[in-house]
Amino acid sequence: MQCCGGKGKKVEDANASGIDVKKLDHILEKYRSVPGSLITVLQEAQEIYGYLSMKVLHYIAEQTNTKLAKVYGVATFYTQFRLKPIGKYLIMLCQGTACHVNGAKSVEAALCDELGIREGETTEDLLFTLNNVACLGCCSLSPVMMVNGETYGNLTPTKARELIKELRNKHMESKGA
Ligand code: FES
């Protein structure tokens, strides 16, 4: 496969139980006296945990004396915030015009089938997240997808499935399996 340089399933709160909210304390302390800093606090929290679990949102609400509904409302309003964990491999599948015309939908169908998820979801093993995105800027290689910053072009459903298998194997090898 050629490289040109380069939301989740029902797993959220199963993972959230292991989250150490105390890691937020220095951030909460830093912004305690800064009015209107909720978005910044949420951004920094997301940097720490990769996403905003309900446990984290509860803790932020409690520690900042803010209603949970408000914290939750801000977290769900802005698309930059993720309320579910993302996989180790974030697949961004281009659905721009060139990719669409050249078969991005059939690549998407193959990926969904191979991964057992729908677009926007994360596999239960937290290995893959599949997101559709707009033009990635590599239209001459369409259809294209990017995985953790690396771009794969001239995709076919078969190539996309192979890549997933390669990444799974790579992960297994890294685990020493
Ligand atoms: S339309 Fe897919 S990379 Fe441009």
Side-chain angles (χ1 to χ4, degrees), residues 134-169:
C135 180
L136 288 167
C138 300
C139 307
S140 63
L141 296 176
S142 64
V144 174
M145 69 183 181
M146 192 178 277
V147 183
N148 291 4
E150 195 166 347
T151 308
Y152 298 87
N154 300 314
L155 290 171
T156 62
T158 306
K159 280 185 179 177
R161 283 180 190 273
E162 279 168 6
L163 177 67
I164 297 301
K165 286 175 188 155
E166 275 171 33
L167 293 173
R168 268 199 203 112
N169 289 340

PDB file of all heavy atoms in Angstrom, residues 134-169:
ATOM      1  N   ALA A 134     -13.222  14.864   5.706  1.00  0.00           N
ATOM      2  CA  ALA A 134     -13.230  15.546   4.408  1.00  0.00           C
ATOM      3  C   ALA A 134     -11.852  15.394   3.777  1.00  0.00           C
ATOM      4  O   ALA A 134     -10.954  14.785   4.352  1.00  0.00           O
ATOM      5  CB  ALA A 134     -13.583  17.009   4.619  1.00  0.00           C
ATOM      6  N   CYS A 135     -11.681  15.985   2.600  1.00  0.00           N
ATOM      7  CA  CYS A 135     -10.462  15.817   1.787  1.00  0.00           C
ATOM      8  C   CYS A 135      -9.168  15.899   2.596  1.00  0.00           C
ATOM      9  O   CYS A 135      -8.940  16.829   3.349  1.00  0.00           O
ATOM     10  CB  CYS A 135     -10.437  16.882   0.699  1.00  0.00           C
ATOM     11  SG  CYS A 135      -8.980  16.748  -0.345  1.00  0.00           S
ATOM     12  N   LEU A 136      -8.327  14.892   2.415  1.00  0.00           N
ATOM     13  CA  LEU A 136      -7.053  14.827   3.142  1.00  0.00           C
ATOM     14  C   LEU A 136      -5.922  15.475   2.349  1.00  0.00           C
ATOM     15  O   LEU A 136      -4.783  15.510   2.808  1.00  0.00           O
ATOM     16  CB  LEU A 136      -6.701  13.366   3.431  1.00  0.00           C
ATOM     17  CG  LEU A 136      -7.549  12.680   4.511  1.00  0.00           C
ATOM     18  CD1 LEU A 136      -7.337  11.172   4.483  1.00  0.00           C
ATOM     19  CD2 LEU A 136      -7.230  13.225   5.892  1.00  0.00           C
ATOM     20  N   GLY A 137      -6.231  15.946   1.159  1.00  0.00           N
ATOM     21  CA  GLY A 137      -5.222  16.652   0.368  1.00  0.00           C
ATOM     22  C   GLY A 137      -4.327  15.747  -0.472  1.00  0.00           C
ATOM     23  O   GLY A 137      -3.284  16.183  -0.944  1.00  0.00           O
ATOM     24  N   CYS A 138      -4.708  14.496  -0.629  1.00  0.00           N
ATOM     25  CA  CYS A 138      -3.928  13.555  -1.456  1.00  0.00           C
ATOM     26  C   CYS A 138      -4.835  12.998  -2.548  1.00  0.00           C
ATOM     27  O   CYS A 138      -4.845  11.785  -2.802  1.00  0.00           O
ATOM     28  CB  CYS A 138      -3.411  12.391  -0.630  1.00  0.00           C
ATOM     29  SG  CYS A 138      -2.335  12.837   0.712  1.00  0.00           S
ATOM     30  N   CYS A 139      -5.597  13.860  -3.193  1.00  0.00           N
ATOM     31  CA  CYS A 139      -6.664  13.405  -4.092  1.00  0.00           C
ATOM     32  C   CYS A 139      -6.137  12.529  -5.228  1.00  0.00           C
ATOM     33  O   CYS A 139      -6.846  11.655  -5.717  1.00  0.00           O
ATOM     34  CB  CYS A 139      -7.421  14.589  -4.676  1.00  0.00           C
ATOM     35  SG  CYS A 139      -8.020  15.712  -3.418  1.00  0.00           S
ATOM     36  N   SER A 140      -4.883  12.764  -5.650  1.00  0.00           N
ATOM     37  CA  SER A 140      -4.357  11.957  -6.769  1.00  0.00           C
ATOM     38  C   SER A 140      -4.198  10.497  -6.366  1.00  0.00           C
ATOM     39  O   SER A 140      -4.034   9.629  -7.210  1.00  0.00           O
ATOM     40  CB  SER A 140      -3.023  12.519  -7.246  1.00  0.00           C
ATOM     41  OG  SER A 140      -2.090  12.422  -6.198  1.00  0.00           O
ATOM     42  N   LEU A 141      -4.231  10.222  -5.059  1.00  0.00           N
ATOM     43  CA  LEU A 141      -4.112   8.840  -4.578  1.00  0.00           C
ATOM     44  C   LEU A 141      -5.457   8.264  -4.150  1.00  0.00           C
ATOM     45  O   LEU A 141      -5.515   7.243  -3.478  1.00  0.00           O
ATOM     46  CB  LEU A 141      -3.150   8.787  -3.378  1.00  0.00           C
ATOM     47  CG  LEU A 141      -1.701   9.158  -3.638  1.00  0.00           C
ATOM     48  CD1 LEU A 141      -0.916   9.149  -2.341  1.00  0.00           C
ATOM     49  CD2 LEU A 141      -1.080   8.186  -4.629  1.00  0.00           C
ATOM     50  N   SER A 142      -6.532   8.943  -4.494  1.00  0.00           N
ATOM     51  CA  SER A 142      -7.844   8.526  -3.996  1.00  0.00           C
ATOM     52  C   SER A 142      -8.228   7.128  -4.474  1.00  0.00           C
ATOM     53  O   SER A 142      -7.826   6.744  -5.591  1.00  0.00           O
ATOM     54  CB  SER A 142      -8.905   9.533  -4.423  1.00  0.00           C
ATOM     55  OG  SER A 142      -8.999   9.543  -5.837  1.00  0.00           O
ATOM     56  N   PRO A 143      -8.965   6.377  -3.675  1.00  0.00           N
ATOM     57  CA  PRO A 143      -9.410   6.727  -2.321  1.00  0.00           C
ATOM     58  C   PRO A 143      -8.286   6.567  -1.286  1.00  0.00           C
ATOM     59  O   PRO A 143      -7.440   5.697  -1.404  1.00  0.00           O
ATOM     60  CB  PRO A 143     -10.546   5.743  -2.045  1.00  0.00           C
ATOM     61  CG  PRO A 143     -10.294   4.593  -2.958  1.00  0.00           C
ATOM     62  CD  PRO A 143      -9.517   5.096  -4.132  1.00  0.00           C
ATOM     63  N   VAL A 144      -8.366   7.426  -0.287  1.00  0.00           N
ATOM     64  CA  VAL A 144      -7.272   7.573   0.658  1.00  0.00           C
ATOM     65  C   VAL A 144      -7.777   7.458   2.091  1.00  0.00           C
ATOM     66  O   VAL A 144      -8.889   7.878   2.402  1.00  0.00           O
ATOM     67  CB  VAL A 144      -6.653   8.991   0.499  1.00  0.00           C
ATOM     68  CG1 VAL A 144      -5.600   9.257   1.546  1.00  0.00           C
ATOM     69  CG2 VAL A 144      -6.067   9.177  -0.881  1.00  0.00           C
ATOM     70  N   MET A 145      -6.933   6.896   2.947  1.00  0.00           N
ATOM     71  CA  MET A 145      -7.218   7.010   4.379  1.00  0.00           C
ATOM     72  C   MET A 145      -5.921   7.279   5.120  1.00  0.00           C
ATOM     73  O   MET A 145      -4.821   7.014   4.607  1.00  0.00           O
ATOM     74  CB  MET A 145      -7.897   5.750   4.928  1.00  0.00           C
ATOM     75  CG  MET A 145      -7.048   4.521   4.995  1.00  0.00           C
ATOM     76  SD  MET A 145      -8.079   3.144   5.601  1.00  0.00           S
ATOM     77  CE  MET A 145      -6.865   1.829   5.608  1.00  0.00           C
ATOM     78  N   MET A 146      -6.053   7.848   6.286  1.00  0.00           N
ATOM     79  CA  MET A 146      -4.892   8.155   7.098  1.00  0.00           C
ATOM     80  C   MET A 146      -5.035   7.361   8.400  1.00  0.00           C
ATOM     81  O   MET A 146      -6.108   7.330   8.997  1.00  0.00           O
ATOM     82  CB  MET A 146      -4.871   9.659   7.382  1.00  0.00           C
ATOM     83  CG  MET A 146      -3.586  10.161   7.979  1.00  0.00           C
ATOM     84  SD  MET A 146      -3.668  11.964   8.224  1.00  0.00           S
ATOM     85  CE  MET A 146      -3.243  12.532   6.603  1.00  0.00           C
ATOM     86  N   VAL A 147      -3.955   6.714   8.792  1.00  0.00           N
ATOM     87  CA  VAL A 147      -3.965   5.972  10.058  1.00  0.00           C
ATOM     88  C   VAL A 147      -2.830   6.499  10.914  1.00  0.00           C
ATOM     89  O   VAL A 147      -1.659   6.394  10.531  1.00  0.00           O
ATOM     90  CB  VAL A 147      -3.785   4.457   9.829  1.00  0.00           C
ATOM     91  CG1 VAL A 147      -3.878   3.705  11.165  1.00  0.00           C
ATOM     92  CG2 VAL A 147      -4.810   3.920   8.848  1.00  0.00           C
ATOM     93  N   ASN A 148      -3.175   7.091  12.021  1.00  0.00           N
ATOM     94  CA  ASN A 148      -2.191   7.693  12.932  1.00  0.00           C
ATOM     95  C   ASN A 148      -1.175   8.554  12.177  1.00  0.00           C
ATOM     96  O   ASN A 148       0.038   8.452  12.391  1.00  0.00           O
ATOM     97  CB  ASN A 148      -1.464   6.599  13.732  1.00  0.00           C
ATOM     98  CG  ASN A 148      -2.398   5.928  14.718  1.00  0.00           C
ATOM     99  OD1 ASN A 148      -3.587   6.211  14.765  1.00  0.00           O
ATOM    100  ND2 ASN A 148      -1.851   5.043  15.524  1.00  0.00           N
ATOM    101  N   GLY A 149      -1.671   9.365  11.272  1.00  0.00           N
ATOM    102  CA  GLY A 149      -0.816  10.325  10.592  1.00  0.00           C
ATOM    103  C   GLY A 149      -0.149   9.803   9.335  1.00  0.00           C
ATOM    104  O   GLY A 149       0.493  10.561   8.621  1.00  0.00           O
ATOM    105  N   GLU A 150      -0.315   8.527   9.034  1.00  0.00           N
ATOM    106  CA  GLU A 150       0.298   7.986   7.821  1.00  0.00           C
ATOM    107  C   GLU A 150      -0.796   7.803   6.773  1.00  0.00           C
ATOM    108  O   GLU A 150      -1.874   7.287   7.079  1.00  0.00           O
ATOM    109  CB  GLU A 150       0.955   6.647   8.131  1.00  0.00           C
ATOM    110  CG  GLU A 150       1.894   6.206   7.053  1.00  0.00           C
ATOM    111  CD  GLU A 150       2.796   5.066   7.514  1.00  0.00           C
ATOM    112  OE1 GLU A 150       2.844   4.800   8.734  1.00  0.00           O
ATOM    113  OE2 GLU A 150       3.408   4.448   6.657  1.00  0.00           O
ATOM    114  N   THR A 151      -0.507   8.216   5.551  1.00  0.00           N
ATOM    115  CA  THR A 151      -1.549   8.205   4.526  1.00  0.00           C
ATOM    116  C   THR A 151      -1.407   7.010   3.597  1.00  0.00           C
ATOM    117  O   THR A 151      -0.316   6.729   3.111  1.00  0.00           O
ATOM    118  CB  THR A 151      -1.492   9.505   3.705  1.00  0.00           C
ATOM    119  OG1 THR A 151      -1.508  10.591   4.611  1.00  0.00           O
ATOM    120  CG2 THR A 151      -2.676   9.617   2.770  1.00  0.00           C
ATOM    121  N   TYR A 152      -2.512   6.324   3.374  1.00  0.00           N
ATOM    122  CA  TYR A 152      -2.536   5.160   2.494  1.00  0.00           C
ATOM    123  C   TYR A 152      -3.473   5.456   1.337  1.00  0.00           C
ATOM    124  O   TYR A 152      -4.641   5.788   1.554  1.00  0.00           O
ATOM    125  CB  TYR A 152      -3.020   3.925   3.258  1.00  0.00           C
ATOM    126  CG  TYR A 152      -2.103   3.556   4.402  1.00  0.00           C
ATOM    127  CD1 TYR A 152      -2.269   4.141   5.658  1.00  0.00           C
ATOM    128  CD2 TYR A 152      -1.049   2.671   4.217  1.00  0.00           C
ATOM    129  CE1 TYR A 152      -1.415   3.831   6.707  1.00  0.00           C
ATOM    130  CE2 TYR A 152      -0.188   2.356   5.256  1.00  0.00           C
ATOM    131  CZ  TYR A 152      -0.378   2.939   6.500  1.00  0.00           C
ATOM    132  OH  TYR A 152       0.470   2.638   7.534  1.00  0.00           O
ATOM    133  N   GLY A 153      -2.923   5.329   0.108  1.00  0.00           N
ATOM    134  CA  GLY A 153      -3.716   5.701  -1.049  1.00  0.00           C
ATOM    135  C   GLY A 153      -4.010   4.546  -1.983  1.00  0.00           C
ATOM    136  O   GLY A 153      -3.566   3.414  -1.754  1.00  0.00           O
ATOM    137  N   ASN A 154      -4.739   4.872  -3.051  1.00  0.00           N
ATOM    138  CA  ASN A 154      -5.138   3.883  -4.059  1.00  0.00           C
ATOM    139  C   ASN A 154      -5.774   2.660  -3.396  1.00  0.00           C
ATOM    140  O   ASN A 154      -5.475   1.517  -3.740  1.00  0.00           O
ATOM    141  CB  ASN A 154      -3.936   3.460  -4.910  1.00  0.00           C
ATOM    142  CG  ASN A 154      -3.332   4.641  -5.631  1.00  0.00           C
ATOM    143  OD1 ASN A 154      -4.050   5.443  -6.228  1.00  0.00           O
ATOM    144  ND2 ASN A 154      -2.020   4.785  -5.555  1.00  0.00           N
ATOM    145  N   LEU A 155      -6.626   2.923  -2.449  1.00  0.00           N
ATOM    146  CA  LEU A 155      -7.217   1.830  -1.677  1.00  0.00           C
ATOM    147  C   LEU A 155      -8.254   1.063  -2.474  1.00  0.00           C
ATOM    148  O   LEU A 155      -8.923   1.616  -3.347  1.00  0.00           O
ATOM    149  CB  LEU A 155      -7.911   2.394  -0.432  1.00  0.00           C
ATOM    150  CG  LEU A 155      -7.008   2.951   0.666  1.00  0.00           C
ATOM    151  CD1 LEU A 155      -7.854   3.659   1.710  1.00  0.00           C
ATOM    152  CD2 LEU A 155      -6.180   1.846   1.296  1.00  0.00           C
ATOM    153  N   THR A 156      -8.364  -0.170  -2.130  1.00  0.00           N
ATOM    154  CA  THR A 156      -9.483  -1.005  -2.574  1.00  0.00           C
ATOM    155  C   THR A 156     -10.019  -1.630  -1.291  1.00  0.00           C
ATOM    156  O   THR A 156      -9.316  -1.623  -0.260  1.00  0.00           O
ATOM    157  CB  THR A 156      -9.010  -2.131  -3.514  1.00  0.00           C
ATOM    158  OG1 THR A 156      -8.109  -2.963  -2.770  1.00  0.00           O
ATOM    159  CG2 THR A 156      -8.327  -1.593  -4.755  1.00  0.00           C
ATOM    160  N   PRO A 157     -11.202  -2.203  -1.332  1.00  0.00           N
ATOM    161  CA  PRO A 157     -11.695  -2.875  -0.124  1.00  0.00           C
ATOM    162  C   PRO A 157     -10.703  -3.939   0.359  1.00  0.00           C
ATOM    163  O   PRO A 157     -10.454  -4.066   1.562  1.00  0.00           O
ATOM    164  CB  PRO A 157     -13.016  -3.489  -0.599  1.00  0.00           C
ATOM    165  CG  PRO A 157     -13.484  -2.529  -1.662  1.00  0.00           C
ATOM    166  CD  PRO A 157     -12.237  -2.117  -2.386  1.00  0.00           C
ATOM    167  N   THR A 158     -10.106  -4.678  -0.566  1.00  0.00           N
ATOM    168  CA  THR A 158      -9.154  -5.723  -0.168  1.00  0.00           C
ATOM    169  C   THR A 158      -7.921  -5.124   0.496  1.00  0.00           C
ATOM    170  O   THR A 158      -7.461  -5.615   1.542  1.00  0.00           O
ATOM    171  CB  THR A 158      -8.727  -6.541  -1.417  1.00  0.00           C
ATOM    172  OG1 THR A 158      -9.905  -7.002  -2.045  1.00  0.00           O
ATOM    173  CG2 THR A 158      -7.845  -7.701  -1.047  1.00  0.00           C
ATOM    174  N   LYS A 159      -7.374  -4.059  -0.094  1.00  0.00           N
ATOM    175  CA  LYS A 159      -6.185  -3.427   0.499  1.00  0.00           C
ATOM    176  C   LYS A 159      -6.490  -2.898   1.896  1.00  0.00           C
ATOM    177  O   LYS A 159      -5.658  -2.980   2.798  1.00  0.00           O
ATOM    178  CB  LYS A 159      -5.723  -2.254  -0.377  1.00  0.00           C
ATOM    179  CG  LYS A 159      -4.932  -2.654  -1.586  1.00  0.00           C
ATOM    180  CD  LYS A 159      -4.455  -1.377  -2.257  1.00  0.00           C
ATOM    181  CE  LYS A 159      -3.627  -1.644  -3.487  1.00  0.00           C
ATOM    182  NZ  LYS A 159      -3.239  -0.382  -4.141  1.00  0.00           N
ATOM    183  N   ALA A 160      -7.679  -2.336   2.054  1.00  0.00           N
ATOM    184  CA  ALA A 160      -8.046  -1.784   3.362  1.00  0.00           C
ATOM    185  C   ALA A 160      -8.120  -2.905   4.400  1.00  0.00           C
ATOM    186  O   ALA A 160      -7.621  -2.772   5.521  1.00  0.00           O
ATOM    187  CB  ALA A 160      -9.373  -1.044   3.261  1.00  0.00           C
ATOM    188  N   ARG A 161      -8.706  -4.019   4.018  1.00  0.00           N
ATOM    189  CA  ARG A 161      -8.777  -5.168   4.942  1.00  0.00           C
ATOM    190  C   ARG A 161      -7.380  -5.668   5.280  1.00  0.00           C
ATOM    191  O   ARG A 161      -7.093  -6.001   6.434  1.00  0.00           O
ATOM    192  CB  ARG A 161      -9.560  -6.321   4.298  1.00  0.00           C
ATOM    193  CG  ARG A 161     -11.055  -6.142   4.280  1.00  0.00           C
ATOM    194  CD  ARG A 161     -11.674  -7.371   3.607  1.00  0.00           C
ATOM    195  NE  ARG A 161     -13.080  -7.201   3.343  1.00  0.00           N
ATOM    196  CZ  ARG A 161     -14.054  -7.474   4.223  1.00  0.00           C
ATOM    197  NH1 ARG A 161     -13.758  -7.903   5.420  1.00  0.00           N
ATOM    198  NH2 ARG A 161     -15.322  -7.299   3.895  1.00  0.00           N
ATOM    199  N   GLU A 162      -6.521  -5.719   4.274  1.00  0.00           N
ATOM    200  CA  GLU A 162      -5.147  -6.199   4.518  1.00  0.00           C
ATOM    201  C   GLU A 162      -4.424  -5.303   5.500  1.00  0.00           C
ATOM    202  O   GLU A 162      -3.696  -5.768   6.369  1.00  0.00           O
ATOM    203  CB  GLU A 162      -4.364  -6.250   3.196  1.00  0.00           C
ATOM    204  CG  GLU A 162      -4.677  -7.494   2.394  1.00  0.00           C
ATOM    205  CD  GLU A 162      -4.125  -7.409   0.976  1.00  0.00           C
ATOM    206  OE1 GLU A 162      -3.400  -6.435   0.659  1.00  0.00           O
ATOM    207  OE2 GLU A 162      -4.444  -8.313   0.188  1.00  0.00           O
ATOM    208  N   LEU A 163      -4.635  -4.009   5.337  1.00  0.00           N
ATOM    209  CA  LEU A 163      -3.962  -3.079   6.251  1.00  0.00           C
ATOM    210  C   LEU A 163      -4.415  -3.307   7.690  1.00  0.00           C
ATOM    211  O   LEU A 163      -3.599  -3.313   8.620  1.00  0.00           O
ATOM    212  CB  LEU A 163      -4.219  -1.623   5.836  1.00  0.00           C
ATOM    213  CG  LEU A 163      -3.601  -0.620   6.798  1.00  0.00           C
ATOM    214  CD1 LEU A 163      -2.070  -0.668   6.756  1.00  0.00           C
ATOM    215  CD2 LEU A 163      -4.081   0.788   6.533  1.00  0.00           C
ATOM    216  N   ILE A 164      -5.714  -3.519   7.848  1.00  0.00           N
ATOM    217  CA  ILE A 164      -6.222  -3.771   9.201  1.00  0.00           C
ATOM    218  C   ILE A 164      -5.571  -5.024   9.777  1.00  0.00           C
ATOM    219  O   ILE A 164      -5.133  -5.052  10.932  1.00  0.00           O
ATOM    220  CB  ILE A 164      -7.767  -3.956   9.177  1.00  0.00           C
ATOM    221  CG1 ILE A 164      -8.444  -2.673   8.703  1.00  0.00           C
ATOM    222  CG2 ILE A 164      -8.289  -4.374  10.553  1.00  0.00           C
ATOM    223  CD1 ILE A 164      -8.173  -1.452   9.524  1.00  0.00           C
ATOM    224  N   LYS A 165      -5.464  -6.045   8.965  1.00  0.00           N
ATOM    225  CA  LYS A 165      -4.845  -7.294   9.436  1.00  0.00           C
ATOM    226  C   LYS A 165      -3.381  -7.051   9.800  1.00  0.00           C
ATOM    227  O   LYS A 165      -2.890  -7.540  10.819  1.00  0.00           O
ATOM    228  CB  LYS A 165      -4.970  -8.383   8.367  1.00  0.00           C
ATOM    229  CG  LYS A 165      -6.399  -8.914   8.276  1.00  0.00           C
ATOM    230  CD  LYS A 165      -6.573  -9.905   7.139  1.00  0.00           C
ATOM    231  CE  LYS A 165      -8.046 -10.255   6.980  1.00  0.00           C
ATOM    232  NZ  LYS A 165      -8.396 -10.698   5.651  1.00  0.00           N
ATOM    233  N   GLU A 166      -2.691  -6.274   8.959  1.00  0.00           N
ATOM    234  CA  GLU A 166      -1.278  -5.960   9.256  1.00  0.00           C
ATOM    235  C   GLU A 166      -1.155  -5.236  10.590  1.00  0.00           C
ATOM    236  O   GLU A 166      -0.283  -5.536  11.399  1.00  0.00           O
ATOM    237  CB  GLU A 166      -0.705  -5.020   8.178  1.00  0.00           C
ATOM    238  CG  GLU A 166      -0.176  -5.715   6.952  1.00  0.00           C
ATOM    239  CD  GLU A 166       0.164  -4.697   5.863  1.00  0.00           C
ATOM    240  OE1 GLU A 166       0.582  -3.559   6.190  1.00  0.00           O
ATOM    241  OE2 GLU A 166      -0.007  -5.038   4.675  1.00  0.00           O
ATOM    242  N   LEU A 167      -2.026  -4.271  10.798  1.00  0.00           N
ATOM    243  CA  LEU A 167      -1.946  -3.501  12.047  1.00  0.00           C
ATOM    244  C   LEU A 167      -2.277  -4.378  13.254  1.00  0.00           C
ATOM    245  O   LEU A 167      -1.661  -4.244  14.308  1.00  0.00           O
ATOM    246  CB  LEU A 167      -2.886  -2.285  11.982  1.00  0.00           C
ATOM    247  CG  LEU A 167      -2.476  -1.218  10.960  1.00  0.00           C
ATOM    248  CD1 LEU A 167      -3.547  -0.147  10.830  1.00  0.00           C
ATOM    249  CD2 LEU A 167      -1.148  -0.578  11.337  1.00  0.00           C
ATOM    250  N   ARG A 168      -3.238  -5.268  13.082  1.00  0.00           N
ATOM    251  CA  ARG A 168      -3.572  -6.199  14.172  1.00  0.00           C
ATOM    252  C   ARG A 168      -2.359  -7.066  14.512  1.00  0.00           C
ATOM    253  O   ARG A 168      -2.012  -7.251  15.668  1.00  0.00           O
ATOM    254  CB  ARG A 168      -4.712  -7.127  13.741  1.00  0.00           C
ATOM    255  CG  ARG A 168      -6.060  -6.594  14.103  1.00  0.00           C
ATOM    256  CD  ARG A 168      -7.088  -7.743  14.091  1.00  0.00           C
ATOM    257  NE  ARG A 168      -8.404  -7.191  13.911  1.00  0.00           N
ATOM    258  CZ  ARG A 168      -9.153  -7.347  12.831  1.00  0.00           C
ATOM    259  NH1 ARG A 168      -8.729  -8.076  11.822  1.00  0.00           N
ATOM    260  NH2 ARG A 168     -10.329  -6.780  12.764  1.00  0.00           N
ATOM    261  N   ASN A 169      -1.709  -7.571  13.449  1.00  0.00           N
ATOM    262  CA  ASN A 169      -0.530  -8.424  13.681  1.00  0.00           C
ATOM    263  C   ASN A 169       0.577  -7.641  14.361  1.00  0.00           C
ATOM    264  O   ASN A 169       1.235  -8.139  15.270  1.00  0.00           O
ATOM    265  CB  ASN A 169      -0.011  -8.979  12.344  1.00  0.00           C
ATOM    266  CG  ASN A 169      -0.958 -10.016  11.789  1.00  0.00           C
ATOM    267  OD1 ASN A 169      -1.767 -10.578  12.540  1.00  0.00           O
ATOM    268  ND2 ASN A 169      -0.890 -10.272  10.495  1.00  0.00           N
TER     269      ASN A 169
END
